[in-house]
Amino acid sequence: MSKQPANSFGQSISAIAWREWRRIRADRTTFLILVVIPIALILILTGIYARGVLLDMPVAVWDEDRSEVSRQMIRAVDANRSFQVTETVTSVDEIENLFQSGKIQAAFHFPADLSRKLKTNQTATVTVYKNNANLIVGNTVLKDASTIIRTFSTGKNLKSFQAKGMMPQQAMAAAAPIRVVDHSLFNPNYNYEQYLVLLMLIFTFQMGLMMIAAQRINREIASDTLKDALALARNSWSRLYLGKALPIILVHSMIISITLFIVMPLFNVTLTGNYFRFFVLYLMFSAASILMGFVLSTWIKDCQFAAEVSIIINTPAFLFSGYTFPLDAMLAPHFWYAKILPHTHFTFGYFKLCVMQIPWSAATPELLMLTIANAICLLLLGWGVARWRKGVVA
């Protein structure tokens, strides 16, 4: 028996939303995807990256020089926050065995002629072995090892020149004739919790949003309840979509707010940039994801197949977003596929508006593309509704 249709726009939207929320709660899988799994992911991912940066990576040292100079360099390595000297070796074979057994992430080799070459102002070589199978580990080892060796080398040269009677300024100029000033912008501390966790969570949430939305209409058709839903919407498909989207948006907004204002501060992580900018950008992105899901749900009768298509669209999105690999370095087909995905434009907009904190005008291309994505989805929805209207609406 059909329910009495609501009279006003607000009443009908509210009635559909409450009906949709009851259906979501009754469907264990949908409730897990919308509520339980996002909360679990927040705790898991923030826990994984809680330390933010790599600390006390186990390293080995091979000291053939056995001089005061090499011992000072080993102490400098051990004092660095990224390293902890845990092994002493005497050959390359030992280093390889330790890498293969997972006992070390890096190794330093100080050759037998190290101190002699430094004393005679010759070029000395310190070999650094690093585990480059993990790019984060490899880059961190290279950065900190280079800093240690460069700093130590400059200090030794400075003392040598001062011992020869040079004035401090002259000695500094001779010790480091070309001075490199390193300014790391936007992520100076290489903090992966600050700059990686939020985007990973957002992309995972969006997959869930689209998957849920992809089953809201076709499930009504499968259960032969679409006429009841349309009756509550007074035969208005726009009211139907709004009512179905409302509980999804409200629950998702609550989860994002918990992430930003409760969980992330617990781990001493805050959103980089302006919250208002973030929510405007994120609202446009979420709308595109939900609308794309509704398009799939309207055009594909099979609920499971619609969900599978949404997974196919979302699974590679993080890789194509330009976050892990530059878009300009991708092959042309991959580049243009990335440009089609709303995820790519959200990522670039997020970095411009929130991380780099530059004016709104700089993110005009990204905001425009998200607007176009929403408009295209609305057109496809209208087309899909036209297909259903003949057979569903009396």
Side-chain angles (χ1 to χ4, degrees):
M1 180 177 178
S2 299
K3 295 183 179 180
Q4 184 66 27
N7 294 322
S8 69
F9 179 84
Q11 287 178 326
S12 61
I13 297 295
S14 177
I16 296 166
W18 277 113
R19 176 182 179 275
E20 187 67 14
W21 174 240
R22 290 194 296 269
R23 291 172 69 89
I24 289 173
R25 284 193 307 172
D27 186 336
R28 183 178 300 177
T29 301
T30 303
F31 187 79
L32 283 172
I33 295 172
L34 181 62
V35 180
V36 179
I37 292 178
I39 293 175
L41 282 172
I42 293 169
L43 299 175
I44 291 170
L45 287 179
T46 49
I48 290 174
Y49 294 94
R51 296 174 70 178
V53 295
L54 296 178
L55 301 174
D56 297 327
M57 287 185 290
V59 302
V61 293
W62 176 13
D63 184 10
E64 285 191 297
D65 194 44
R66 297 184 181 277
S67 66
E68 181 59 28
V69 171
S70 62
R71 285 191 290 270
Q72 287 178 2
M73 294 191 74
I74 291 172
R75 286 195 290 269
V77 170
D78 199 37
N80 186 277
R81 68 173 186 171
S82 298
F83 304 131
Q84 182 180 8
V85 177
T86 59
E87 303 285 345
T88 301
V89 299
T90 57
S91 68
V92 174
D93 290 338
E94 287 186 66
I95 291 175
E96 290 180 353
N97 290 334
L98 288 171
F99 270 117
Q100 291 169 0
S101 63
K103 292 182 179 180
I104 62 171
Q105 295 293 342
F108 291 79
H109 174 220
F110 304 102
D113 58 358
L114 176 66
S115 58
R116 179 182 61 80
K117 286 188 174 181
L118 287 176
K119 288 177 182 178
T120 57
N121 294 325
Q122 298 181 59
T123 301
T125 301
V126 174
T127 304
V128 180
Y129 300 87
K130 56 192 177 75
N131 177 12
N132 223 37
N134 186 307
L135 294 179
I136 294 175
V137 170
N139 290 336
T140 302
V141 170
L142 178 62
K143 175 181 70 72
D144 286 359
S146 299
T147 300
I148 292 169
I149 295 169
R150 185 171 61 242
T151 302
F152 188 87
S153 177
T154 301
K156 292 299 293 183
N157 288 336
L158 182 61
K159 289 181 180 179
S160 176
F161 290 130
Q162 284 181 322
K164 293 178 180 180
M166 286 188 182
M167 298 297 289
Q169 290 183 342
Q170 291 177 316
M172 178 60 75
I178 299 177
R179 188 165 64 97
V180 178
V181 179
D182 183 5
H183 289 288
S184 297
L185 302 178
F186 314 125
N187 188 4
N189 297 319
Y190 288 75
N191 190 312
Y192 294 94
E193 184 179 38
Q194 184 77 49
Y195 290 90
L196 181 63
V197 171
L198 184 58
L199 279 181
M200 289 181 66
L201 284 172
I202 286 172
F203 281 10
T204 308
F205 292 166
Q206 296 308 121
M207 182 182 295
L209 280 182
M210 191 182 296
M211 188 187 305
I212 291 170
Q215 300 180 66
R216 303 332 298 159
I217 303 300
N218 46 25
R219 185 160 290 183
E220 296 274 11
I221 296 167
S223 59
D224 198 26
T225 57
L226 184 58
K227 288 185 178 180
D228 293 339
L230 281 170
L232 282 176
R234 298 181 64 83
N235 286 337
S236 168
W237 282 80
S238 60
R239 293 189 187 190
L240 178 65
Y241 285 124
L242 284 172
K244 284 184 168 293
L246 187 58
I248 299 174
I249 292 171
L250 290 177
V251 172
H252 189 60
S253 299
M254 179 187 69
I255 291 171
I256 286 294
S257 298
I258 290 172
T259 303
L260 291 176
F261 300 116
I262 298 177
V263 178
M264 288 176 61
L266 285 176
F267 291 90
N268 297 317
V269 179
T270 56
L271 176 71
T272 304
N274 185 280
Y275 282 93
F276 176 73
R277 288 181 168 196
F278 171 80
F279 277 108
V280 169
L281 186 68
Y282 189 61
L283 180 62
M284 296 179 69
F285 181 38
S286 298
S289 296
I290 293 173
L291 285 172
M292 287 174 71
F294 280 155
V295 168
L296 294 176
S297 186
T298 305
W299 281 79
I300 302 175
K301 291 183 179 181
D302 189 314
C303 297
Q304 183 174 346
F305 181 56
E308 289 171 352
V309 172
S310 73
I311 293 173
I312 292 171
I313 293 172
N314 281 279
T315 299
F318 189 74
L319 300 176
F320 281 95
S321 67
Y323 189 81
T324 57
F325 193 75
L327 287 186
D328 293 338
M330 294 182 184
L331 297 175
H334 300 80
F335 175 85
W336 290 111
Y337 178 73
K339 286 291 186 179
I340 294 173
L341 296 173
H343 305 69
T344 305
H345 306 292
F346 169 80
T347 301
F348 278 80
Y350 169 76
F351 276 103
K352 287 182 178 181
L353 295 177
C354 298
V355 177
M356 301 172 71
Q357 301 184 48
I358 54 182
W360 282 98
S361 57
T364 299
E366 288 74 28
L367 295 171
L368 179 61
M369 290 304 297
L370 287 174
T371 302
I372 291 174
N374 280 288
I376 291 174
C377 287
L378 286 172
L379 289 174
L380 290 173
L381 270 183
W383 188 4
V385 167
R387 294 172 63 248
W388 286 109
R389 190 179 294 276
K390 297 178 182 178
V392 175
V393 181

